[in-house]
């Protein structure tokens, strides 16, 4: 993998969180804007995808017919709240989708009617003919030329040239990025703008299947498929609904039989001469089936995808988001993920008889002409650690600068008769010997010690009035990002095993792994090694997540359960992965896992709350409904509701209102803290299980205190 580009760099220890939306809070304007969609979703052809709410809608229709046939205030009050229950359920989904549509509108602005300059029979270096065509007419394999100020007409790879590209329409980042032919930074996205130079792009998309088209479909929810866990939960909810349908149906003959054996029992609008009225049966069914989770289940899934989009991560399927929550093994590239990506100066080690300040000054001077990241880090470290003032090549007008090259492996400066050199140990020692100087044995000990610790030694030498000598060694090391050890500790508490992948030798890899706190490492890794590691983990029954950006990462990304491709990477990598990180920040994989776990926990918590609600409502309604038939049930009537009618209406109202109350939680997600699965389960049962039982008792009683004054409630 390559290190992240400078424009995508983020603070150490974490990735930038660029929230595009208001989190889980509901904007009143969004609520009003979503109302028409909520009404449109009342269409049974739409409702059939949610079996629980379809039953509620059928019940509402049946209750409406009964209320028309035998009008009463109680009957119409029930009808109104039954329809509101269905509407609130649709509103939860409409609000979740509405936030995605708002993001899609922003993305559509990047999809303009661009005219492409297609090259006919293009070949590298050959003279070609241009023709102008509409961007939607481009075919896969076409070559187009794009110059400064022009919009890239389609997704593809740069095959010639290098250019600065503005990708703010896609990523939200205002800083331009460099795209060039060859390597792992060749992919470009349609709708972005070239700011400088000229590039030739080979189109890799099919017509109508551009990256922006996929993004729009995903954030709007049009292509959201239900995940396996979501399907399983839907089957469970449907089964519970069927069970309660039969359970409620048996109450009618039970009531008729009981009234026949108790002729002195007075009739009411709840229990008449023929047993339980139809409206009461519908109300009882709606209150007992898991309507709360049935209403919020779709919104939870959409919101999970939305939270990823807010962090500039595009999940190509809900299955990938769900799999992220179940990940057992995390494969992380060392460079740019665990470390900052460039080795930096961390220590000056002078030889005997040389002061640290003298070595620091010589190292700084000899690095002024070294434009590599390592050279710049030496200049900065000398200034920060030893208080040396910042110097520039322009200040030393009579100096002869020796720039670093791959051939000499040295940089330096000639100040009259005072020459300074800094570079690889072998190169500098050879230079010192070539100038007639001697290399002390002490130098070899220091160099070997740094190498054994996983660092890189750079030797500093000087020539003064014809006398050459070695001054000391600069210790360069991979700097682990701040806070990474804490992040890996969090992963460990989640039960996730972290594996660092690096091309370094095992000695260097172990030093970095120990400092960062990862569980294991794979040194001198090749693409085949990565793929084999993933297969071994999966054969052991574990789910694997990894990041990648190059074509050589594509096989491993495709094999991983969660493959996160960097947006700066190649088209092959993005097609192989099931997620794309638009910020190209490899550390974001940790956040993706946390979002996946939050999605699963939110779904589980609200399911627990919903089922606990049903239990509480059962104890609230049944005793109030049958206490006149079976006086012994009065012991269970702990809420002392005013009447059977007020008990039923209060339960129906509470059942509708609790959906609206829980919409923000479904959209924002239950707060997640890294912990073992057993602790998370205990917490959910304590908070949402016990809370789900207590809330209906309090809510229904408070509503009963209000509705008891309505007509026909006493």
């Amino acid at each position: 993998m390559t290190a992240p580009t400078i424009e995508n760099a983020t603070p150490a220890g974490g990735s930038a969180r660029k929230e595009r939306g208001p989190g889980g809070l509901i904007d009143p304007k969004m609520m009003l804007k979503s109302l028409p969609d909520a009404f449109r979703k009342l269409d049974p052809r739409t409702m059939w995808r949610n079996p629980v709410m379809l039953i509620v809608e059928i019940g509402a229709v049946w209750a409406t017919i009964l209320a028309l046939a035998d009008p009463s205030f109680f009957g119409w009050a029930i009808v109104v709240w039954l329809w509101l229950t269905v509407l609130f359920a649709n509103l939860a989904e409409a609000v979740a989708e509405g936030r995605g549509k708002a993001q899609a509108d922003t993305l559509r602005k990047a999809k303009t009617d661009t005219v492409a300059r297609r090259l006919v029979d293009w070949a590298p270096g050959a003279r070609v003919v241009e023709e102008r065509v509409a961007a939607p007419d481009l075919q896969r394999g076409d070559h187009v030329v794009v110059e400064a100020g022009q919009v890239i007409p389609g997704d593809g790879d740069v095959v010639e040239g290098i250019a600065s590209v503005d990708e703010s329409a896609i990523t939200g980042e205002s800083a331009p990025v460099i795209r060039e032919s060859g390597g792992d930074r060749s992919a470009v996205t349609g709708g972005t703008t070239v700011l400088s130079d000229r590039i030739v792009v080979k189109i890799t998309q099919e017509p109508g299947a551009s990256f922006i088209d996929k993004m729009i479909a995903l954030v709007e929810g049009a292509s959201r498929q239900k995940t396996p866990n979501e399907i399983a939960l839907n089957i469970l909810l449907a089964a519970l609904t069927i069970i309660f349908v039969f359970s409620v149906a048996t109450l009618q003959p039970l009531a008729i039989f009981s009234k026949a054996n108790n002729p002195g029992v007075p009739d009411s609008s709840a229990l008449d001469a023929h047993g339980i009225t139809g409206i009461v049966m519908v109300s009882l069914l709606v209150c007992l089936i898991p309507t709360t989770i049935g209403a919020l289940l779709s919104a939870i899934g959409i919101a999970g995808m939305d939270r990823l989009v807010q962090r500039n991560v595009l999940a190509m399927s809900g299955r990938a988001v769900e799999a992220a929550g179940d990940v057992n093994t995390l494969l992380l590239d060392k460079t740019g993920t665990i470390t900052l990506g460039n080795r930096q100066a961390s220590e000056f080690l002078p030889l005997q008889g040389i002061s640290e300040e003298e070595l620091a000054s010589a190292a700084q001077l000899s690095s002024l002409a070294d434009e590599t990241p390592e050279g710049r880090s030496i200049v900065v470290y000398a200034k920060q650690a030893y208080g040396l003032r910042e110097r520039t090549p322009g200040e030393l007008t009579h100096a002869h600068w020796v720039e670093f090259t791959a051939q000499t492996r040295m940089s330096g400066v000639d100040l009259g008769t005072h020459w300074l050199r800094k570079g690889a140990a072998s190169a500098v020692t050879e230079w010192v010997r070539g100038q007639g100087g001697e290399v002390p044995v002490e130098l070899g000990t220091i160099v070997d010690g740094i190498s054994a610790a996983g660092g890189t030694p750079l030797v500093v030498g000087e020539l003064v009035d014809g006398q050459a000598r070695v001054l000391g060694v600069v210790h360069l090391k991979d700097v682990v990002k701040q806070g990474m050890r804490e992040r890996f500790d969090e992963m460990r508490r989640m039960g996730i095993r972290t594996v660092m992948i690096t091309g370094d030798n095992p000695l260097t890899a172990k030093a970095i792994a120990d400092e960062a706190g990862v569980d294991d490492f794979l040194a001198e890794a090749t693409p085949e090694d990565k793929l084999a590691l993933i297969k071994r983990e999966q054969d052991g029954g574990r789910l694997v997540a990894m990041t990648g950006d190059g074509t050589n990462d594509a096989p491993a990304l495709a094999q991983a359960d969660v493959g996160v491709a960097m947006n700066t990477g190649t088209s092959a990598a993005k097609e192989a992965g099931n997620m794309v990180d638009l910020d190209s920040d490899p550390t974001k994989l940790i956040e993706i896992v946390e979002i996946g776990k939050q999605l699963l926990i939110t779904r589980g918590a609200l399911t627990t709350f919903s089922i606990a609600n049903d239990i509480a409502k059962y104890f609230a309604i049944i005793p109030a409904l049958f206490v006149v038939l079976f006086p012994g049930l009065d012991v269970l009537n702990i809420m002392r509701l005013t009447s059977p009618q007020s008990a039923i209406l209060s339960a129906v109202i509470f059942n509708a209102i609790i959906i609206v109350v829980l919409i923000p939680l479904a959209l924002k997600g239950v707060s997640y803290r890294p912990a073992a699965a057993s602790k998370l389960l205990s917490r959910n049962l304590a908070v949402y299980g016990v809370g789900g039982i207590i809330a209906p008792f309090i809510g229904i009683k408070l509503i009963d205190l209000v509705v008891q004054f309505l007509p026909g409630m006493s």
Side-chain angles (χ1 to χ4, degrees), residues 303-447:
M305 301 278 282
D306 179 63
R307 281 193 291 276
L308 279 177
V309 173
Q310 289 174 18
R311 287 163 177 80
N312 268 4
V313 177
L314 216 60
M316 297 306 176
S317 71
R319 184 188 295 268
V321 184
E322 196 170 86
D326 288 327
V327 160
N328 307 108
T329 303
L330 214 55
L331 305 186
L332 298 164
D333 190 55
K334 183 203 73 173
T335 305
T337 304
I338 296 173
T339 65
L340 293 177
N342 296 310
R343 294 174 183 261
Q344 297 187 354
S346 63
E347 190 179 10
F348 291 139
L349 301 170
L351 297 185
Q352 188 174 3
I354 308 296
S355 68
E356 290 188 20
E357 289 74 14
E358 184 180 0
L359 174 60
S361 178
Q364 185 189 55
L365 277 172
S366 60
S367 299
L368 291 179
D370 184 357
E371 291 301 322
T372 64
E374 292 81 2
R376 292 196 296 268
S377 77
I378 293 173
V379 175
V380 172
Y381 181 71
K383 175 187 174 184
Q384 293 177 344
Y386 296 92
L388 299 179
R389 70 181 184 87
E390 186 174 357
R391 291 177 282 190
T392 62
E395 295 179 23
L396 305 172
T397 55
H398 301 292
H400 171 67
W401 298 99
V402 179
E403 295 184 0
F404 177 87
T405 66
Q407 289 75 30
T408 63
R409 296 186 297 155
M410 290 190 302
S411 66
V413 60
D414 296 342
L415 301 169
T417 59
H418 186 193
W419 293 6
L420 293 170
R421 294 292 185 272
K422 175 228 57 187
S426 58
V428 175
T429 54
E430 185 179 342
W431 177 80
V432 169
R433 289 192 179 103
Q435 300 298 329
E438 293 186 359
V439 178
V441 177
E442 180 188 0
L443 177 66
T445 304
I446 296 175
V447 168

Side-chain angles (χ1 to χ4, degrees), residues 113-230:
D113 295 330
T114 307
V115 175
R117 298 165 57 189
R118 183 164 61 186
L119 302 178
V120 180
D121 298 328
W122 178 85
R127 184 180 181 87
V128 294
V129 178
E130 288 186 18
E131 61 178 2
R132 294 185 175 270
V133 298
D137 295 335
L138 289 173
Q139 300 294 320
R140 186 169 187 168
D142 285 348
H143 291 81
V144 296
V145 61
V146 191
E147 296 182 344
Q150 297 179 344
V151 175
I152 297 174
D155 299 350
D157 290 323
V158 178
V159 293
E160 182 179 278
I162 179 173
S164 175
V165 179
D166 177 11
E167 294 186 341
S168 58
I170 304 297
T171 67
E173 284 284 356
S174 57
V177 296
I178 300 299
R179 294 291 177 261
E180 57 187 330
S181 59
D184 294 336
R185 293 191 297 168
S186 60
V188 291
T189 305
T192 57
T193 304
V194 173
L195 299 179
S196 67
D197 302 292
R198 173 187 182 275
I199 53 175
V200 175
V201 177
K202 180 181 180 181
I203 300 299
T204 58
Q205 71 180 52
E206 296 292 349
S210 69
F211 195 58
I212 292 183
D213 290 324
K214 293 177 183 177
M215 290 174 68
I216 292 172
L218 285 165
V219 298
E220 283 187 326
S223 62
R224 193 186 85 87
Q225 301 296 320
K226 290 184 178 180
T227 63
N229 283 350
E230 194 173 348

Side-chain angles (χ1 to χ4, degrees), residues 1-143:
M1 290 185 188
T2 59
T5 53
I6 294 174
E7 68 274 8
N8 290 323
T10 56
S15 59
R17 296 190 179 196
K18 300 190 302 183
E19 302 289 342
R20 292 187 177 180
L25 300 178
I26 298 180
D27 184 353
K29 293 182 179 178
M30 180 67 73
M31 182 82 80
L32 291 174
K33 191 175 180 180
S34 301
L35 268 176
D37 285 336
F39 279 102
R40 279 192 288 270
K41 288 177 180 292
L42 292 173
D43 187 338
R45 290 171 296 181
T46 302
M47 293 294 296
W48 74 268
R49 291 177 293 184
N50 190 337
V52 175
M53 298 316 300
L54 178 61
I55 292 294
V56 177
E57 184 175 41
I58 293 172
V61 171
W62 177 241
T64 303
I65 295 172
L66 294 177
L68 289 171
D70 186 14
S72 68
F73 180 85
F74 171 75
W76 280 112
I78 293 292
V79 167
V80 169
W81 281 102
L82 288 178
W83 280 111
L84 285 176
T85 302
V86 183
L87 187 64
F88 291 160
N90 290 344
L91 186 62
E93 185 174 357
V95 169
E97 290 178 351
R99 300 201 311 179
K101 289 177 181 178
Q103 293 165 353
D105 290 340
T106 303
L107 292 171
R108 281 195 179 92
K109 294 177 182 178
K111 187 182 178 184
T112 57
D113 295 330
T114 307
V115 175
R117 298 165 57 189
R118 183 164 61 186
L119 302 178
V120 180
D121 298 328
W122 178 85
R127 184 180 181 87
V128 294
V129 178
E130 288 186 18
E131 61 178 2
R132 294 185 175 270
V133 298
D137 295 335
L138 289 173
Q139 300 294 320
R140 186 169 187 168
D142 285 348
H143 291 81

Side-chain angles (χ1 to χ4, degrees), residues 232-557:
L233 185 55
N234 264 316
I235 294 172
L236 173 63
L237 297 181
L240 289 174
T241 300
I242 293 172
I243 291 171
F244 279 115
V245 166
F246 284 106
S247 299
V248 171
T250 61
L251 293 178
Q252 173 73 333
L254 176 64
I256 294 174
F257 175 79
S258 300
K259 284 182 66 66
N261 288 278
N262 293 277
V265 174
D267 291 341
S268 69
S269 57
L271 291 168
D272 60 16
H274 303 290
I276 302 177
T277 63
I279 288 181
V280 171
M281 289 183 66
V282 171
S283 304
L284 187 59
L285 175 63
V286 170
C287 289
L288 296 185
I289 64 177
T291 51
T292 306
I293 185 61
L296 299 174
L297 188 57
S298 180
I300 293 171
I302 295 172
M305 301 278 282
D306 179 63
R307 281 193 291 276
L308 279 177
V309 173
Q310 289 174 18
R311 287 163 177 80
N312 268 4
V313 177
L314 216 60
M316 297 306 176
S317 71
R319 184 188 295 268
V321 184
E322 196 170 86
D326 288 327
V327 160
N328 307 108
T329 303
L330 214 55
L331 305 186
L332 298 164
D333 190 55
K334 183 203 73 173
T335 305
T337 304
I338 296 173
T339 65
L340 293 177
N342 296 310
R343 294 174 183 261
Q344 297 187 354
S346 63
E347 190 179 10
F348 291 139
L349 301 170
L351 297 185
Q352 188 174 3
I354 308 296
S355 68
E356 290 188 20
E357 289 74 14
E358 184 180 0
L359 174 60
S361 178
Q364 185 189 55
L365 277 172
S366 60
S367 299
L368 291 179
D370 184 357
E371 291 301 322
T372 64
E374 292 81 2
R376 292 196 296 268
S377 77
I378 293 173
V379 175
V380 172
Y381 181 71
K383 175 187 174 184
Q384 293 177 344
Y386 296 92
L388 299 179
R389 70 181 184 87
E390 186 174 357
R391 291 177 282 190
T392 62
E395 295 179 23
L396 305 172
T397 55
H398 301 292
H400 171 67
W401 298 99
V402 179
E403 295 184 0
F404 177 87
T405 66
Q407 289 75 30
T408 63
R409 296 186 297 155
M410 290 190 302
S411 66
V413 60
D414 296 342
L415 301 169
T417 59
H418 186 193
W419 293 6
L420 293 170
R421 294 292 185 272
K422 175 228 57 187
S426 58
V428 175
T429 54
E430 185 179 342
W431 177 80
V432 169
R433 289 192 179 103
Q435 300 298 329
E438 293 186 359
V439 178
V441 177
E442 180 188 0
L443 177 66
T445 304
I446 296 175
V447 168
D448 291 343
I450 293 174
S451 299
T456 300
L458 293 182
V459 176
V460 180
E462 72 171 358
L463 177 68
V464 181
D465 297 327
Q467 298 293 320
R469 63 173 179 166
V470 177
L471 299 179
V473 183
V474 180
H475 182 183
L476 295 180
K477 61 179 292 188
D478 267 346
V479 179
V480 175
K481 291 181 178 179
Q482 185 178 357
M484 290 306 295
R485 177 174 283 274
E486 289 74 15
R487 298 297 292 273
F488 291 137
D489 288 342
E490 289 181 8
M491 295 291 107
R492 205 168 289 112
R493 286 195 293 273
M494 294 182 206
I496 297 175
R497 177 170 169 264
T498 52
V499 180
M500 181 186 78
I501 299 177
T502 176
D504 291 337
N505 63 69
L507 201 62
T508 303
K510 186 178 188 307
I512 296 297
D514 291 342
E515 184 179 353
V518 295
D519 297 313
D520 201 355
F521 65 89
L522 177 65
E524 299 177 342
T526 64
E528 292 77 15
D529 293 334
K530 296 178 187 178
L531 188 60
L533 175 60
I534 293 173
K535 288 182 177 179
R536 283 199 304 272
E537 292 290 324
Q538 291 173 334
D539 289 342
R542 291 177 286 271
L543 296 183
V544 180
M546 75 161 288
T547 60
D549 58 1
T551 300
N552 62 346
D553 291 320
L557 286 171

